[in-house]
Amino acid sequence: MVYANGKPENLKAFRSRSPKRLTITIPYTVFAALEKRSAEEGRSLSNLAAYLLEQALQPQTPENP
């Protein structure tokens, strides 16, 4: 087996940074809006949802006047 840097002890740290799966329940209206937007943007529902969550969690910076 090949490890991230050739050492088995660092495999745990490498795996902890890999993408994780999450199952959520959302209202039908939110699902329909995601489905419509994902079709418009040509991306999967999963990819769009992950992108939107990442954007929502980014620190907000004040707008420059």
Side-chain angles (χ1 to χ4, degrees):
M1 175 174 214
V2 177
Y3 295 100
N5 69 354
K7 297 181 181 179
E9 62 269 9
N10 291 323
L11 182 61
K12 184 177 180 181
F14 176 74
R15 284 185 180 163
S16 68
R17 291 187 223 145
S18 65
K20 304 295 182 194
R21 290 186 181 267
L22 171 69
T23 302
I24 63 170
T25 302
I26 56 175
Y28 176 79
T29 55
V30 173
F31 177 83
L34 281 172
E35 193 171 42
K36 181 181 178 196
R37 183 167 167 180
S38 71
E40 290 170 352
E41 295 184 13
R43 58 200 309 172
S44 70
L45 278 170
S46 177
N47 178 270
L48 178 60
Y51 169 76
L52 292 172
L53 284 169
E54 286 179 38
Q55 293 298 105
L57 294 172
Q58 293 297 316
Q60 300 297 316
T61 57
E63 295 184 30
N64 293 329

